Amino acid sequence: MKANSTQQEILLMTGTRFSSRQCSDKNDATAHQNLNEKERLEEACWNGMIKDMLPEICDKNSEDKQLYLWQIKEGESYIELELAEFPEEKDKYFSIDPYALMSVQYFS
């Protein structure tokens, strides 16, 4: 029998005031000047700053299971963060990723 696992998706919209904030380490700001907005935001997430930027979303879940950032996908106007206890394929039907949602949408 398959065990239940906890997964979380977060969409960070780019081109917004939130995403344009300086998200890199203060000590290493000059090294990040050549990166675009999406790249700076991605790097900040990989460096663990997502917990500082969105603490209310990144708190432990109701079962007190620690979620880890496994993947970042880049969309046209957003980046999608996939957090989970361990890497596992997500169910596209329940995804908030608009591209995944459209691939399972049934048209009559």
Side-chain angles (χ1 to χ4, degrees):
M1 187 166 144
K2 186 177 177 182
N4 289 333
S5 66
T6 303
Q7 295 179 326
Q8 181 179 17
E9 292 177 277
I10 301 172
L11 290 183
L12 297 177
M13 305 308 291
T14 56
T16 63
R17 183 179 273 208
F18 172 80
S19 64
S20 64
R21 288 192 312 201
Q22 181 64 14
C23 296
S24 61
D25 295 331
K26 294 177 185 175
N27 297 336
D28 200 19
T30 56
H32 301 289
Q33 289 177 349
N34 296 332
L35 300 177
N36 66 32
E37 179 185 334
K38 282 184 183 179
E39 292 169 337
R40 283 195 315 267
L41 196 54
E42 278 186 48
E43 186 170 332
C45 293
W46 281 124
N47 290 334
M49 293 182 70
I50 190 68
K51 293 177 182 181
D52 295 332
M53 293 186 290
L54 300 169
E56 61 278 357
I57 292 177
C58 297
D59 284 342
K60 288 185 178 179
N61 56 38
S62 60
E63 294 89 28
D64 290 331
K65 296 177 181 177
Q66 183 67 37
L67 300 181
Y68 302 97
L69 178 61
W70 291 107
Q71 188 171 24
I72 296 179
K73 293 182 179 177
E74 188 174 317
E76 188 172 323
S77 60
Y78 67 90
I79 61 171
E80 176 188 5
L81 310 176
E82 292 184 14
L83 296 98
E85 297 173 67
F86 50 87
E88 185 177 41
E89 188 172 339
K90 66 181 177 183
D91 187 349
K92 291 181 180 182
Y93 184 79
F94 295 106
S95 177
I96 62 172
D97 177 4
Y99 299 116
L101 178 66
M102 292 306 291
S103 70
V104 297
Q105 183 73 23
Y106 295 97
F107 296 101
S108 48

